[in-house]
Amino acid sequence: SSKNAGFTSSAVIEALSFISDRKWVVVECLLRVAPTYEIQKMLLSRVVAETDKFSNASDISADDEDSKWWLRVRLAALGALDRLETLRAMHLGNFSSSAYESFRFVHYLDAAKAIARAGNARGLEILLQRHKDWFRKRDLLDTLGEISECTRIASMSSPV
């Protein structure tokens, strides 16, 4: 849209480089919902880059609250990137900022139930595959019970 004209990754990176309060920058990049996938990924990648020196938790002392804050922000950004990629895969490579805004903080089980209720078998399969370790520890019968009785069986079969 014309509202987002001129809103490019390079313009954002340049604007962020002039801000001296780096904590503010990473929080804004982490919480902001961008109009495009590319800019959203760039914002989250910026957080990962800013927090790179805090990537090894064993180097952080127990009483170093500042470093622990940076590590938590890094983990949040890595999780957000994973959710961004999961959502993009579920939407066949398309990006919706409103869908990302809804999906980024939702509990995986709640997301799976909502996807099942919507009859989106492919989306549910992608979510379960990408987070199989998390879902392996859960009872999926409640989630599968959310699939509508009107859903065509053919749409539920897994592609081989």
Side-chain angles (χ1 to χ4, degrees):
S1 73
S2 61
K3 179 175 95 171
N4 297 322
F7 192 62
T8 63
S9 294
S10 58
V12 171
I13 289 172
E14 184 177 346
L16 294 175
S17 68
F18 292 111
I19 300 171
S20 61
D21 185 349
R22 302 320 290 166
K23 280 187 174 184
W24 182 89
V25 168
V26 297
V27 168
E28 285 299 310
C29 288
L30 184 61
L31 297 180
R32 186 75 46 203
V33 175
T36 67
Y37 164 80
E38 291 76 15
I39 294 174
Q40 188 68 58
K41 186 172 182 178
M42 183 276 309
L43 290 172
L44 296 172
S45 297
R46 187 79 240 138
V47 176
V48 172
E50 290 270 348
T51 60
D52 195 43
K53 64 184 172 188
F54 301 98
S55 62
N56 190 353
S58 62
D59 292 343
I60 298 173
S61 70
D63 60 342
D64 186 354
E65 292 302 320
D66 191 55
S67 293
K68 287 193 282 187
W69 182 89
W70 284 98
L71 179 61
R72 284 191 296 273
V73 169
R74 179 180 182 77
L75 294 174
L78 291 169
L81 277 168
D82 180 63
R83 283 177 178 261
L84 177 66
E85 296 304 329
T86 298
L87 187 66
R88 189 171 189 225
M90 289 167 40
H91 288 180
L92 299 174
N94 295 310
F95 177 77
S96 161
S97 58
S98 62
Y100 176 70
E101 187 168 23
S102 298
F103 185 67
R104 66 187 178 151
F105 296 125
V106 73
H107 194 275
Y108 283 133
L109 195 55
D110 293 337
K113 286 179 179 182
I115 293 165
R117 272 192 302 278
N120 183 349
R122 181 191 35 75
L124 182 59
E125 180 181 15
I126 289 169
L127 180 64
L128 294 175
Q129 284 176 349
R130 288 186 61 110
H131 301 283
K132 60 184 159 218
D133 289 338
W134 190 91
F135 281 104
R136 186 176 296 135
K137 301 171 188 160
R138 304 314 186 271
D139 178 10
L140 293 179
L141 289 179
D142 283 343
T143 301
L144 297 176
E146 296 289 334
I147 297 171
S148 169
E149 292 176 13
C150 300
T151 303
R152 291 185 34 214
I153 298 297
S155 73
M156 297 306 295
S157 63
S158 178
V160 179

